[in-house]
Amino acid sequence: MKKSDQAILKVTDLHKQFDQTEVLKGIDLDVYPGEVIVIVGPSGCGKSTFLRCLNGLEPINSGRVELNGQVITAPGTDWSLIRQKIGMVFQNYELFPHLNVMDNILLGPTKVQGRKKSEAKAEAESWLERVDLLEKAQAYPRQLSGGQKQRVAIVRALCMSPEVMLFDEVTASLDPEMVREVLDVMLNLAKGGLTMLIVTHEMAFAKAVADRVIFMDQGYVIETNTPEAFFNNPNTERARKFLNIFQFEGVHKVQ
Amino acid sequence: MLDSAISIFTSGRNMARLGEGLLITMRISLSAVGLSIILGIPAGLLMASKSKFWRFVLRFYLEFIRIMPILVLLFFFYYSLSKIFQINLPATFVSIFVFTLWGTAEMADLVRGAVTSLPKHQWESGRALGLREAKLNMYVIVPQAVRRLLPGVINLTTRMIKTTPFVFFINIPDLVKVAQQIVELAGMRNNLASVWVYGCIFLIYFAICYPISLFSTYLEKIWQT
Ligand SMILES: Nc1ncnc2c1ncn2[C@@H]1O[C@H](COP(=O)(O)OP(=O)(O)OP(=O)(O)O)[C@@H](O)[C@H]1O
Ligand SMILES: [Mg+2]
């Protein structure tokens, strides 16, 4: 863990409910610069909702979120500014279908940040090069595979120069053979020191990329642990049960 | 035989009258389409909005207009209203009014459909990039809604052009009415008159509507999403 002095993101006692049901029941989490946090947990435990509360896509009911010491869940927050610092990539391919790859990427830098097109384009090209998609710059989303779309979506978020990136099951809708190419991009970002919160069901990837693993269940953080400890010998019974889902008993018993 | 055709179109002001009829047809239908688009967009956005009141009112309006035969609306506004209010509404005004009433309802429903058919994550990924509502609409939502709207608007336009002959019944000399007058007159001497004249009308409608649908196919192709 690369703990430096101040948390980049500090979540305190975060509660969130939809109608009458409480989905997040008091989440506490500090994220330090350069840290990669992987969030795992059964379906419906509130992982997506948690990420969406961090960039204001969902309003919260109580508690608070601070970004670099500034409380962003207070009324009057300019979410446009915050979202430029907290990027997000979703599970569904969410490229804009009427814009080609380059225009998808440039929309944020030019229309939100008001940067010069030529300069933003140069940056976009260097990112596309790094994810092996430079030759697709003029292609439309419909001409891309799922894995390519997700890599573009990641580049699009990165070109806003975010301080933190949120990934919500970005490989969950992909065909198995495309999962790897997207996870490799994320692994490289982790090596590059980007601060990331990743929700995933890819346990091998989680183990490889995480500095810290957060296990959530029914709206609570049940366990926070190092990846080695969490995957080999979790502290809690619930985490153990959860991890068992990903294990298969051998059919042919080997003596 | 061809002589009989030529004589019809060259005699008197027949050709000019057909031209005038065509102008009236186009003026009524295009005015109505234009007004329907202008009024239908805000109405459609209201139908797609969260307001229960507007959704109910506009849905009722749409259903009402849809079940009402156009002819009934034309007669009602042309004959009955002038009796009640003791005013003589010009026939062209009444027809543009009635067709706009109908077109606005259809257009509103098209806009509603186009906006609500956009996946929710288009708004979310735009917001996640930091786009504020105005720019989100301008660069992400509206361009996609317009593309989805296009086939419906083209369809509405050709339906409008095809429905204008109803104005015949409130004595507006549109293309079809003129044709009928010519056939009535020439038909006494020339028993093929109806073939030539209505055949000509046939071609005129085709010549107007076919390019419109070609244009829409072309736009759909280059916009393919
Ligand atoms: N907009 C909403 N309105 C009402 N309930 C919601 C809404 N979004 C999520 N929920 C509920 O909140 C709970 C948590 O949902 P969430 O999507 O955060 O789970 P998750 O951990 O991301 O699950 P998964 O692994 O399936 O993506 C679920 O019970 C879900 O049904
Ligand atoms: Mg989820």
Side-chain angles (χ1 to χ4, degrees):
Chain A
M1 239 182 289
K2 301 156 249 179
K3 279 201 184 182
S4 62
D5 40 354
Q6 202 204 10
I8 191 166
L9 206 57
K10 189 173 175 65
V11 182
T12 315
D13 197 26
L14 181 102
H15 289 258
K16 165 73 187 174
Q17 58 188 55
F18 290 112
D19 303 321
Q20 296 313 313
T21 40
E22 191 158 47
V23 175
L24 299 176
K25 301 166 184 166
I27 308 283
D28 295 289
L29 178 67
D30 289 358
V31 183
Y32 293 92
E35 221 185 350
V36 176
I37 294 186
V38 169
I39 303 169
V40 298
S43 182
C45 70
K47 306 179 296 292
S48 298
T49 307
F50 177 55
L51 290 192
R52 295 161 58 81
C53 286
L54 299 181
N55 71 346
L57 287 180
E58 298 288 353
I60 68 169
N61 293 89
S62 66
R64 64 180 184 182
V65 180
E66 293 161 61
L67 177 69
N68 293 322
Q70 180 205 349
V71 180
I72 60 176
T73 43
T77 295
D78 183 350
W79 283 109
S80 172
L81 284 180
I82 303 302
R83 288 170 188 157
Q84 293 172 47
K85 296 181 187 156
I86 307 181
M88 183 162 186
V89 183
F90 303 80
Q91 169 178 350
N92 297 312
Y93 321 130
E94 23 70 275
L95 297 181
F96 305 128
H98 62 297
L99 300 176
N100 67 25
V101 166
M102 185 51 83
D103 291 338
N104 259 281
I105 298 172
L106 291 183
L107 191 61
T110 58
K111 304 300 180 205
V112 177
Q113 297 180 324
R115 284 163 59 189
K116 277 230 302 282
K117 190 168 175 181
S118 55
E119 171 235 352
K121 198 172 169 197
E123 190 192 344
E125 279 168 352
S126 90
W127 273 113
L128 283 175
E129 174 107 62
R130 281 165 71 176
V131 302
D132 234 357
L133 283 175
L134 189 52
E135 76 278 15
K136 297 286 185 192
Q138 300 307 315
Y140 281 84
R142 70 187 127 86
Q143 297 165 321
L144 303 181
S145 73
Q148 291 171 331
K149 281 188 234 184
Q150 284 302 55
R151 283 183 282 156
V152 172
I154 293 173
V155 168
R156 185 174 71 178
L158 290 172
C159 281
M160 302 293 286
S161 317
E163 295 172 26
V164 182
M165 279 288 294
L166 314 175
F167 295 89
D168 189 5
E169 296 195 43
V170 293
T171 58
S173 328
L174 295 179
D175 291 336
E177 70 270 22
M178 291 168 188
V179 169
R180 184 71 203 224
E181 65 193 45
V182 176
L183 296 183
D184 279 341
V185 169
M186 292 163 71
L187 273 168
N188 279 326
L189 293 173
K191 279 186 205 145
L194 183 65
T195 311
M196 307 198 276
L197 270 77
I198 302 173
V199 171
T200 184
H201 286 301
E202 301 285 338
M203 292 303 153
F205 166 70
K207 201 169 173 178
V209 79
D211 291 316
R212 235 190 320 160
V213 178
I214 307 278
F215 172 65
M216 285 178 65
D217 195 11
Q218 294 177 8
Y220 296 101
V221 171
I222 305 293
E223 179 168 342
T224 305
N225 214 333
T226 62
E228 296 76 27
F230 181 78
F231 288 106
N232 297 328
N233 189 20
N235 290 335
T236 54
E237 186 53 32
R238 274 204 259 178
R240 206 181 304 273
K241 279 207 175 115
F242 171 73
L243 287 171
N244 271 338
I245 303 169
F246 297 89
Q247 308 287 325
F248 289 94
E249 292 280 325
V251 177
H252 308 290
K253 292 249 158 57
V254 186
Q255 295 300 318
Chain B
M1 211 167 101
L2 229 98
D3 290 348
S4 74
I6 292 168
S7 74
I8 293 174
F9 292 113
T10 50
S11 76
R13 290 189 64 252
N14 281 358
M15 206 61 184
R17 285 174 63 212
L18 280 175
E20 286 158 17
L22 176 62
L23 272 182
I24 289 177
T25 294
M26 293 311 284
R27 213 178 81 210
I28 293 175
S29 47
L30 294 186
S31 307
V33 167
L35 288 169
S36 300
I37 291 176
I38 294 169
L39 298 171
I41 288 175
L45 291 175
L46 283 175
M47 278 175 98
S49 75
K50 292 195 188 87
S51 159
K52 277 215 171 82
F53 172 76
W54 281 113
R55 281 197 333 239
F56 175 79
V57 168
L58 289 164
R59 171 61 48 190
F60 181 81
Y61 168 65
L62 174 68
E63 296 302 332
F64 180 81
I65 292 288
R66 272 196 180 151
I67 53 178
M68 205 47 66
I70 291 287
L71 202 52
V72 174
L73 289 172
L74 276 175
F75 282 171
F76 177 75
F77 284 105
Y78 189 58
Y79 296 112
S80 320
L81 277 193
S82 52
K83 283 278 166 353
I84 296 170
F85 295 109
Q86 303 290 318
I87 39 163
N88 250 329
L89 295 169
T92 316
F93 173 83
V94 170
S95 52
I96 292 177
F97 178 78
V98 166
F99 283 116
T100 301
L101 222 50
W102 168 53
T104 300
E106 296 290 346
M107 182 68 193
D109 201 37
L110 290 172
V111 170
R112 182 201 55 76
V115 170
T116 51
S117 74
L118 286 183
K120 194 171 123 258
H121 58 72
Q122 288 292 314
W123 275 269
E124 295 213 319
S125 48
R127 286 197 189 106
L129 281 175
L131 286 166
R132 293 176 213 277
E133 295 307 297
K135 286 186 176 174
L136 181 64
N137 277 315
M138 189 152 110
Y139 296 111
V140 179
I141 303 306
V142 171
Q144 291 187 65
V146 167
R147 282 161 169 79
R148 282 164 193 240
L149 214 51
L150 178 83
V153 170
I154 297 292
N155 183 270
L156 182 63
T157 307
T158 51
R159 268 162 74 209
M160 200 71 94
I161 294 172
K162 287 189 295 189
T163 315
T164 37
F166 275 124
V167 301
F168 181 110
F169 292 100
I170 54 174
N171 301 316
I172 295 178
D174 84 315
L175 191 56
V176 176
K177 177 91 183 173
V178 170
Q180 191 218 18
Q181 288 167 346
I182 293 174
V183 169
E184 255 172 28
L185 251 153
M188 292 184 248
R189 289 166 283 115
N190 182 343
N191 53 12
L192 279 179
S194 64
V195 176
W196 299 126
V197 175
Y198 290 130
C200 170
I201 302 295
F202 190 89
L203 290 179
I204 290 176
Y205 272 106
F206 181 79
I208 298 168
C209 292
Y210 190 58
I212 295 179
S213 77
L214 276 187
F215 179 62
S216 110
T217 318
Y218 165 75
L219 280 185
E220 269 176 69
K221 207 175 207 162
I222 60 171
W223 280 351
Q224 209 179 76
T225 54

